[in-house]
Amino acid sequence: MLSTSSKIPDDLNKFYGWACPGKGKPMEWCELSLKKFEENDVEIEITHCGICLSDIYTMDSGWGPTDYPCVTGHEITGVITRLGNGVDTTRFKLGDRVGVGPQCECCFNCKECNAGKENCCRNACTSTYNMRWSCGDKTYGGYSNRWRGNSHFVYKIPDSMSNEIGSVLMCAGTTTYGAMKKHRVTEESKVGVVGIGGLGHIAIQWGKVFGAEVLAISSSESKREDAMSLGADNFIVSIDSEAFVKHNSTLSHLILTIYAKDFDWERYLDLLEPEGTVIILAIPDCPFGNIPQSIVERHITLSGSLLSSPQIIQEMLNVASEKNVKPWIKKYPMSKAPEAVQAMRDGKARYRIVLEADKNVY
């Protein structure tokens, strides 16, 4: 049974969070156990946590069976309250404002880890929730009051950035920034962003930071004004065939922040110039399929991108601070997390929902 006491636990190895106890079951505010405290760990009092669609897929076992009870949330910001003896004190001190993203551990020994590509770790690319630490304890996310984990995957929030803004950048910000940097988006690029939502509205902003021309593509005409305000140079609605033809063979990069079973690959690939690049950021709850042979005939690169390395994440935060890249958010108190998650399910986020610590649960 899950403990549902509302008091802050006296046991320093406990925390309180919104746990999903099973598929289709309502979230519960519960007492659970933090991981074993190790020498390279930090402990964080959480101030904010963004809600990502990954959280909902996981609560629903949409990507395979979830290890319930599960506390989701991998867009975490807060304040350091405890440092392990092995933590680099030139990086962190008590009271620092920091963030945690979707990855919380790696093996530190494989070829990728040794090359600074911990996000590609082949042995232990551990997620911030619904997995296991190397010590065997469960990972729990940020719909909670405290987080504990390896300082290697903790990042300083720039002084000019608020925690509520920084939280969303820990996933949506770094997913889009890392993909564009990896695939060399420059001032000579023309980038199409498919889906103007949590990822897409930040991708538009990064496109302009990199100096590219940006085409925003949405299923809804109602997103036009927002897309242009975010910096898009052009906007088309996905059902407008004439507009698609006008932009055929013009894009160097096509970023897919959404994907559905009936996705019309041929139509979207026609937007790319020869040797263009498709970057898939979406992880759907259905298989990718029906990719046409034109991807071969036109020498198109099909690539996926998900996490970024710790180095790139810290760089992204610093660039966002310097260039004023900000997600558009709506805040809910942590005590109303179930209501906030339902709003996300109902498509009411414009464009990210952020949970904020409040006295009703702390």
Side-chain angles (χ1 to χ4, degrees), residues 6 47 64 78 81 100 108 138 161 172 177 184 221 263 277 282 300 308 314 317 323:
S6 61
T47 62
T81 58
V100 179
F108 296 105
K138 283 183 70 171
M161 181 182 292
Y177 177 87
R184 299 180 177 84
E221 175 64 34
F263 186 77
T277 300
I300 290 171
S308 294
Q314 188 64 65
L317 288 169
K323 300 296 185 180

Side-chain angles (χ1 to χ4, degrees), residues 154-170:
V154 174
Y155 310 95
K156 289 286 291 288
I157 301 299
D159 291 341
S160 62
M161 181 182 292
S162 67
N163 279 17
E164 62 194 52
I165 294 299
S167 65
V168 175
L169 295 177
M170 297 312 307

Side-chain angles (χ1 to χ4, degrees), residues 12 32 36 75 82 92 98 141 162 243 258 279:
L12 293 178
L32 294 162
K36 172 186 175 184
E75 294 183 338
R82 187 180 178 189
F92 299 120
V98 293
S162 67
I258 56 172
I279 307 170

Side-chain angles (χ1 to χ4, degrees), residues 207-330:
K208 301 313 296 180
V209 168
F210 283 106
E213 182 178 320
V214 177
L215 170 67
I217 307 170
S218 174
S219 61
S220 173
E221 175 64 34
S222 67
K223 300 287 183 73
R224 180 183 296 273
E225 184 176 346
D226 287 352
M228 303 307 285
S229 295
L230 288 159
D233 297 282
N234 292 287
F235 176 93
I236 59 175
V237 179
S238 55
I239 60 172
D240 188 342
S241 298
E242 289 186 11
F244 263 69
V245 171
K246 178 182 176 182
H247 290 278
N248 276 355
S249 300
T250 63
L251 302 180
S252 58
H253 300 77
L254 186 67
I255 298 175
L256 303 185
T257 71
I258 56 172
Y259 179 82
K261 191 178 297 184
D262 59 351
F263 186 77
D264 189 345
W265 279 102
E266 195 74 67
R267 191 157 173 259
Y268 281 89
L269 292 178
D270 282 347
L271 295 172
L272 285 165
E273 60 190 12
E275 298 187 317
T277 300
V278 179
I279 307 170
I280 302 174
L281 304 183
I283 305 180
D285 55 359
C286 62
F288 290 105
N290 302 316
I291 299 175
Q293 67 184 38
S294 61
I295 200 169
V296 178
E297 296 166 346
R298 298 177 61 223
H299 301 264
I300 290 171
T301 298
L302 183 62
S303 176
S305 188
L306 184 61
L307 308 173
S308 294
S309 69
Q311 178 184 349
I312 295 298
I313 293 175
Q314 188 64 65
E315 175 185 300
M316 176 276 303
L317 288 169
N318 296 339
V319 173
S321 176
E322 177 187 349
K323 300 296 185 180
N324 201 35
V325 173
K326 292 182 178 181
W328 292 10
I329 66 171
K330 180 177 180 179

